[in-house]
Amino acid sequence: MSVFSIHKSPIFLRMVFVIAIFIMIFVTALTYRHVEQLTLSSKSVTHTYRATVEIEQLYTNIKDLEIERRNYLLVNNKNLIQNIENLKVEISKNLLSIESTIKDNPKQILLLKKLKDLVNEKFRIIDKGIYPHKVLTYDQLKITLLEGKILMDKIKVFINSMLANEKEALIERTKENNTITDSTPIIIYITLFSTIAVVILAFVKISRDLEEMRLKNEQLALNNESNSLTEQIGDFGTWFLNLETNKYTFSENEYRLLGVKPFSFEASMEGFLKYIHPEDVSYVKDIILKMITRDKLVPFMYRVIRADGNLRYLRGNGKIVTNKSGEKILIGTTTDVTDEVLTNQAIEQRNRELEAKNKELQTFNYVASHDLQEPLRKIQTFISRLVDKDLNSLSENGQQYLLKIQDSSERMRVLIDDLLKFSRANKSEQIFEQTDLNEVLENSKQELIQIMEEKKASVLNDKLPNLNVIPFQMQQLFTNLISNSLKYSKEDIAPVITIKVSEVDASKEEAIPVNEKTKYHKIIFNDNGIGFDVQYAEKIFLLFNRLHNKDKFSGTGIGLAICKKIVENHKGFIFADGELNVGATFTIYLPVS
């Protein structure tokens, strides 16, 4: 399939949809991945905020714990002990929450571990100061407060370090989140426009396909009408058999061939067989079975009895094809050949009549060539005796009459002999043999050697081919043509007969009509005799046709007719050409064996 025409194929639409689905899946996956990253980034920022808040909350609780401790040490109010214990619990919860929050940050875990140690140390100092509930001296109070302050300063350092780490992480995560957030509209637009582009492409393709389908449906409807009209004019119908579903389909004219209205019964083998001549039903069934089991079948003929009782002859043909769905369909045609059959029957009858006529003609030729010769020989015998014994006893007129009778009887004998030769050329009992035409030509020259020597004639010939011919007819052909040249030669000029041979292509020879043969042997006989007017080129081959005075040139006008019949017997052609006082040319075309 051409690259430029693939877009018109149904495969292209499937490719577009597959590509569209792939692009949409890819873009959806890309968008989902982006949203997932955005969600993770947002969670990461929120996580950092929460860690910072929890660290600050821890520090606030530690500071409140220190304040409550100091208040207790200064006023020795035992009611403050519960506040201190509550703050310790809160601080422990803060540490656990922070530990859960920063578990994916090794640096913060290390700082938290040290911070927990300081907090535990803080708890120890507090417990040491409030238990066993006694009033401290000024120096003891001063030392305890200083110890608490130093520890708070250490805790503050770690708290600040952890807050700084979270702040740094917050800046990075916020930057990453902003980047992802900024690219989100672009991703959304890409997704949107990609989807729209794919949808538009598919829509355009579907629209074009629908338009093409509409046009093709219109063209198909027109073609169906045209096919229906063609079937009616050509007097044939078509039918289809789906070998997968065993369902038949008949064209409208298939019904008309049976003499019924289109679709008057459901297309089926049983419905069709009802109209077939009873003697042909089993034959047609066998043929259709062979059609199903073979890819192709030669045409077959059968009879049907139409709905009006009229007998018609139909010719069927079929072939199995495979459609694009892979289903095997038997396509059949049915043609009404009644006129052709009746014509052939008439021709056969005429051929039988012609054969009978030909037999009668053969019988006549036999009578003419054999039975008529017997009384003719007796007439010639008696005339010869009269001429030998009683010619001088007759008057001068009687002598002339007797000599003319003798000449006429001789001419009749020659005519009967020529008729016999023509009859032999027409007979169908002809045996073809592979023959060397050079030997045939030599035999013809020997047959005419006496007259050739008298006229000092010469035959100049090319080497002739070997052909599958009827030997005696080919010798008769050569003898007649050479004899014709010798008969019509010029006085006091030695006859020269040239024979040229070549192999030609029929398509390049204007003289040869359209023929299934392509190669011919072209044999040209040319002489330097008296010639003839070219206007008689076709009449020269007619039976009994003579162009010259019979008193000056002997002959019956049968010789060239025999030549034409011999060439036709060999599926060839013969043509004559001539020019007065220049010579005659006979061109023979014989098929290459």
Side-chain angles (χ1 to χ4, degrees), residues 165-186:
N165 289 339
E166 291 299 327
K167 184 178 181 180
E168 182 180 350
L170 180 62
I171 293 172
E172 293 179 0
R173 291 172 179 176
T174 302
K175 183 178 180 181
E176 181 182 356
N177 184 67
N178 291 336
T179 301
I180 296 174
T181 302
D182 292 340
S183 63
T184 298
I186 298 175

Side-chain angles (χ1 to χ4, degrees), residues 204 224 248 255 261 287 324 347 349 375 395 403 419 488 504:
V204 170
N224 287 337
Y248 282 86
Y255 289 93
K261 293 182 179 180
I287 290 292
K324 292 184 178 180
I347 291 174
Q349 179 62 28
S395 63
L403 292 175
L419 282 173
Y488 298 108
V504 297

Side-chain angles (χ1 to χ4, degrees), residues 149-163:
K149 181 179 182 305
I150 293 172
L151 190 57
M152 282 298 297
D153 289 341
K154 290 181 179 180
I155 290 173
K156 184 178 181 181
V157 170
F158 281 97
I159 290 293
N160 288 338
S161 295
M162 293 183 71
L163 289 173

Side-chain angles (χ1 to χ4, degrees), residues 114-224:
K114 293 180 180 180
L115 182 61
K116 288 172 69 175
D117 292 339
L118 292 175
V119 170
N120 290 332
E121 179 66 19
K122 182 69 175 176
F123 288 169
R124 187 186 64 76
I125 292 174
I126 291 174
D127 290 342
K128 179 182 176 182
I130 64 175
Y131 299 107
H133 307 300
K134 63 178 181 178
V135 178
L136 300 176
T137 64
Y138 175 78
D139 290 334
Q140 289 176 333
L141 180 61
K142 186 177 178 180
I143 290 171
T144 299
L145 292 175
L146 182 61
E147 187 180 9
K149 181 179 182 305
I150 293 172
L151 190 57
M152 282 298 297
D153 289 341
K154 290 181 179 180
I155 290 173
K156 184 178 181 181
V157 170
F158 281 97
I159 290 293
N160 288 338
S161 295
M162 293 183 71
L163 289 173
N165 289 339
E166 291 299 327
K167 184 178 181 180
E168 182 180 350
L170 180 62
I171 293 172
E172 293 179 0
R173 291 172 179 176
T174 302
K175 183 178 180 181
E176 181 182 356
N177 184 67
N178 291 336
T179 301
I180 296 174
T181 302
D182 292 340
S183 63
T184 298
I186 298 175
I187 297 297
I188 292 174
Y189 283 129
I190 291 174
T191 303
L192 178 62
F193 290 135
S194 299
T195 306
I196 291 174
V198 170
V199 171
I200 290 174
L201 180 62
F203 175 77
V204 170
K205 174 59 180 172
I206 292 173
S207 298
R208 289 180 179 176
D209 286 350
L210 289 175
E211 180 62 20
E212 289 182 5
M213 187 179 298
R214 183 185 66 80
L215 294 175
K216 287 181 179 179
N217 286 337
E218 292 179 356
Q219 185 64 40
L220 181 60
L222 181 61
N223 289 342
N224 287 337

